[in-house]
Amino acid sequence: MNAPVFSTSSPEILWDTWGVPHIYSQTRTELGHGFGYAQMQSHGNLILRLYGQARGRGAEYWGEDYLAGDRLTHTMGIPARAQAWEADQTPKMRDYLTAFVAGMNTYATEHPDAISPQYRPVLPVTVTDVLAHLNRAIHFHFVVGPSVAGSNGWAIAPSRSESGHSLLLSNTHLPWGGLFLWYEADLHLPDLNLYGAALVGMPMLAVGFNDHLGWTATVNTYKGWTDYDLSLATGGYRWDDAIQPFDAEDIILKVKQADGTLRDEPLTVERSRHGPIIQKTENRATALRVAGLEKARMLDQLWAMGTAGDRAEFEAALAQQQLPMFNFLTADRNGEIFYIFNGLVPVRDGGNWRDHQQPQPGNTAATLWTDYHPYADLPKVANPANGWLQNTNDPPWTTTIPATLDPEDFPAYIAPPDLTGAFNLLRTQRSLHLIQSQDRWSLAELAQAKFSTRIELGDRLVDALIAALPTDPDPLLQTAATVLQGWDHHANADSRGMALFAQWWAAMPPDAFAVPWDAAQPLTTPAGLADPATALATLRDVAQAMQSHWGRLDVPWGEFMQLRVGDRVQPGRGAAGAVGSFAVIDSIPGSQPGEPWRAVGGDSFIAAVEFSDPVRALVLNPYGNATQPNSPHRGDQLAHYHHGKLREAWRDRPTIEAHLARRTVLDSPSPMP
């Protein structure tokens, strides 16, 4: 490993021209201090808002709009759990976290005017705040309700690489705001050079690479929670021929009023042996059970993952089973590639995947899961003969082709049995077509493939739609058909026809395909139009509205959809994974008809890495690496995304110094008690 070069004995942050902090320190504790300081400088207002919400005090700080979130936070027990987690940290992690929050508080103390007044009451932040934020984000925004997230990941073995080195593509898809934002950082110790991204406010990188190994994550088809249906009776709920009383806790929430005063808002939280009650009627109640809430050491596991030097060490980190979910793909300098369907998978009482998407009977211990499958039980693939692995939120069985995993070898409830359980079936198919499109990959080609906007759904349906036209269509329908015939089946800024096609598909009824997904034709189905007459009528309606609001049907996609962060605007490219784009941008309509659609999520932190010596890496954080008002880095990478380009990751000291914007020398944190 190439040891970092240190100019002083004090910890320091070298800020490059993209606002990425390169943190140099002699000890892990100093590293935590610098990382906290850097995050507060780049995202202080956002972090304080997120920590205030994780405390369950959002309404107390900012008013009525935050009350529902506070109720949920306390119902889920997040503040109390964070305190218990803090007591369960290892001494080394406790020191690191103490230094991390000290760095945040130091920045806020030194730069009070940099923090907006409405967020200052949250200061000082504490270790409990960090752990509450971790619990809220991971368990109650990913484990429960992961549909907001996606991601693409590829790992390429040396046999499929032009250079003879393994390659990794990390391509996260998350909303462009709130607790889903990525913070890009470069962390240096004398024996570590770790580059990647952390979710804002988190003290550890969640995806990244060091000089030996890299890893990426995708949300998996994982069911780590269960709704239990309880039958109520006088004194509680029915449980194995008896009546079990609820545990009840009375909490007083504070709500800030327009005049600045606080009013009390009572909340009673009820819990059964399954978990908290989230819904209750006269006769029934629903309790929520979530996997992993008793696992306090996720951060130790992330540190072990980030410092792993090979697949064996990475697997040893995963075997700690502290992280409740996520697929992981890795590549390393030894030429190994690896995939795992990671998760704290509950040991259930039989049934298949779809059975457990429904509420389960809560009146008997027979249905109450209490344990998890061990690491050995989880689906994994190492070094497949074909030389590649991919995951785009599909079940584990299509991670490589020919498949090396058989659903029959695993519990039927662990994952969907086929591609019908993929988050975005068409995006998975586009990924599989793309990764098999050439025999060998270079780093540049990997980066270029990441920006592929070819629309799988366009390839499936445009010809069928044109073929359904009557012999003498009305002029508007004929114009719409002509636009679609001339469309390049991409979602590039200059693609004409994508806007019309996207709106048509969004207006189509469910089950629009004539041929559903078929395991015998896994990459070419679903296909065809089930009801051509309805498809044409929908196309005409959409064309009429588009003509009325836009004045034409061939509006370029980059004019119809925009990438906007702060004051920066770029013509859009990329589209929703649901239509089969590998480059994913989720967008919403403008506030008025005829106004451009606006990107709100999708492609987030991206890294293409080659494990040569030294490691070569290309990266991008499309929305920029800061959210603070007046920061020059709000949206400063949008133009790169618009042009389909990644930027070089600067990791060695001379290169970082050549692109230096400013330097922050920090005092070493005080010794930990």
Side-chain angles (χ1 to χ4, degrees), residues 54-327:
R55 288 177 182 173
R57 296 173 63 185
E60 177 182 341
Y61 297 133
W62 307 298
E64 195 84 26
D65 290 347
Y66 290 81
L67 181 57
D70 289 350
R71 287 196 186 105
L72 181 63
T73 295
H74 284 282
T75 298
M76 296 300 113
I78 292 171
R81 184 175 301 109
Q83 292 179 0
W85 279 9
E86 182 175 356
D88 198 25
Q89 297 304 301
T90 62
K92 282 187 176 181
M93 186 54 66
R94 188 177 294 111
D95 287 353
Y96 179 93
L97 291 172
T98 301
F100 180 74
V101 298
M104 289 185 165
N105 292 326
T106 296
Y107 177 83
T109 299
E110 293 177 352
H111 304 87
D113 293 341
I115 305 300
S116 297
Q118 67 265 40
Y119 300 114
R120 292 175 194 161
V122 180
L123 291 164
V125 299
T126 67
V127 171
T128 307
D129 293 330
V130 177
L131 296 173
H133 174 55
L134 177 68
N135 183 209
R136 178 172 177 256
I138 299 301
H139 293 92
F140 298 104
H141 287 274
F142 281 99
V143 175
V144 180
S147 59
V148 298
S151 300
N152 302 325
W154 286 7
I156 308 284
S159 62
R160 298 292 296 271
S161 163
E162 284 190 357
S163 67
H165 302 295
S166 59
L167 300 167
L168 180 71
L169 176 63
S170 175
N171 177 200
T172 60
H173 302 156
L174 288 174
W176 284 11
L179 53 72
F180 297 103
L181 281 187
W182 288 110
Y183 187 58
E184 184 179 346
D186 182 24
L187 309 179
H188 295 259
L189 290 172
D191 60 350
L192 179 68
N193 186 344
L194 178 60
Y195 198 108
L199 291 173
V200 161
M202 299 293 189
M204 292 289 166
L205 302 187
V207 293
F209 56 95
N210 58 42
D211 285 331
H212 297 282
L213 176 144
W215 81 102
T216 191
T218 69
V219 169
N220 46 353
T221 52
Y222 162 74
K223 187 64 184 293
W225 55 277
T226 301
D227 282 338
Y228 283 98
D229 180 29
L230 309 184
S231 176
L232 302 183
T234 302
Y237 59 97
R238 301 187 187 281
W239 178 256
D240 282 347
D241 301 321
I243 306 299
Q244 181 78 26
F246 289 106
D247 239 352
E249 178 186 8
D250 292 323
I251 299 170
I252 300 296
L253 305 178
K254 301 290 186 181
V255 183
K256 188 175 183 179
Q257 306 300 286
D259 63 1
T261 62
L262 298 175
R263 70 171 175 84
D264 290 347
E265 177 74 18
L267 172 68
T268 297
V269 177
E270 291 185 303
R271 301 181 182 91
S272 71
R273 61 178 58 218
H274 313 78
I277 303 304
I278 58 173
Q279 187 175 356
K280 196 173 183 181
T281 64
E282 185 177 349
N283 299 314
R284 310 206 73 79
T286 301
L288 177 67
R289 189 168 186 80
V290 179
L293 296 180
E294 75 284 12
K295 303 279 189 175
R297 297 185 179 179
M298 281 185 284
L299 298 174
D300 284 291
Q301 181 171 333
L302 284 170
W303 178 261
M305 290 161 59
T307 56
D310 56 28
R311 177 170 69 88
E313 290 183 4
F314 193 85
E315 284 207 72
L318 290 178
Q320 296 177 26
Q321 289 198 284
Q322 296 291 309
L323 281 167
M325 63 175 294
F326 303 111
N327 296 298

